mmCIF file of all heavy atoms in Angstrom:
data_model
loop_
_atom_site.group_PDB
_atom_site.id
_atom_site.type_symbol
_atom_site.label_atom_id
_atom_site.label_comp_id
_atom_site.label_asym_id
_atom_site.label_seq_id
_atom_site.Cartn_x
_atom_site.Cartn_y
_atom_site.Cartn_z
ATOM 1 N N LYS U 57 -9.138 0.014 -34.106
ATOM 2 C CA LYS U 57 -8.697 1.389 -33.846
ATOM 3 C C LYS U 57 -8.061 1.506 -32.457
ATOM 4 O O LYS U 57 -6.976 2.067 -32.296
ATOM 5 C CB LYS U 57 -9.893 2.363 -33.960
ATOM 6 C CG LYS U 57 -10.633 2.257 -35.297
ATOM 7 C CD LYS U 57 -11.787 3.226 -35.382
ATOM 8 C CE LYS U 57 -12.922 2.958 -34.420
ATOM 9 N NZ LYS U 57 -13.749 1.765 -34.742
ATOM 10 N N THR U 58 -8.787 0.969 -31.478
ATOM 11 C CA THR U 58 -8.257 1.028 -30.108
ATOM 12 C C THR U 58 -6.953 0.243 -30.003
ATOM 13 O O THR U 58 -5.980 0.702 -29.413
ATOM 14 C CB THR U 58 -9.295 0.468 -29.123
ATOM 15 O OG1 THR U 58 -10.459 1.291 -29.175
ATOM 16 C CG2 THR U 58 -8.764 0.444 -27.714
ATOM 17 N N ASP U 169 -8.818 8.268 -28.072
ATOM 18 C CA ASP U 169 -9.672 7.141 -28.431
ATOM 19 C C ASP U 169 -11.143 7.474 -28.181
ATOM 20 O O ASP U 169 -11.649 7.261 -27.093
ATOM 21 C CB ASP U 169 -9.259 5.900 -27.636
ATOM 22 C CG ASP U 169 -9.922 4.641 -28.184
ATOM 23 O OD1 ASP U 169 -10.693 4.747 -29.158
ATOM 24 O OD2 ASP U 169 -9.668 3.561 -27.622
ATOM 25 N N GLU U 170 -11.798 7.981 -29.204
ATOM 26 C CA GLU U 170 -13.207 8.386 -29.108
ATOM 27 C C GLU U 170 -13.485 9.219 -27.858
ATOM 28 O O GLU U 170 -14.405 8.926 -27.097
ATOM 29 C CB GLU U 170 -14.127 7.151 -29.113
ATOM 30 C CG GLU U 170 -13.894 6.284 -30.329
ATOM 31 C CD GLU U 170 -15.007 5.278 -30.562
ATOM 32 O OE1 GLU U 170 -16.183 5.683 -30.456
ATOM 33 O OE2 GLU U 170 -14.712 4.109 -30.837
ATOM 34 N N VAL U 201 -9.430 8.966 -32.837
ATOM 35 C CA VAL U 201 -10.370 7.926 -33.256
ATOM 36 C C VAL U 201 -11.787 8.443 -33.090
ATOM 37 O O VAL U 201 -12.119 9.030 -32.067
ATOM 38 C CB VAL U 201 -10.182 6.648 -32.425
ATOM 39 C CG1 VAL U 201 -11.324 5.680 -32.653
ATOM 40 C CG2 VAL U 201 -8.858 5.999 -32.761
HETATM 41 MG MG1 MG M 28 -12.468 1.208 -29.600
#
Side-chain angles (χ1 to χ4, degrees):
Chain U
K57 306 180 294 288
T58 297
D169 192 0
E170 304 195 45
V201 169

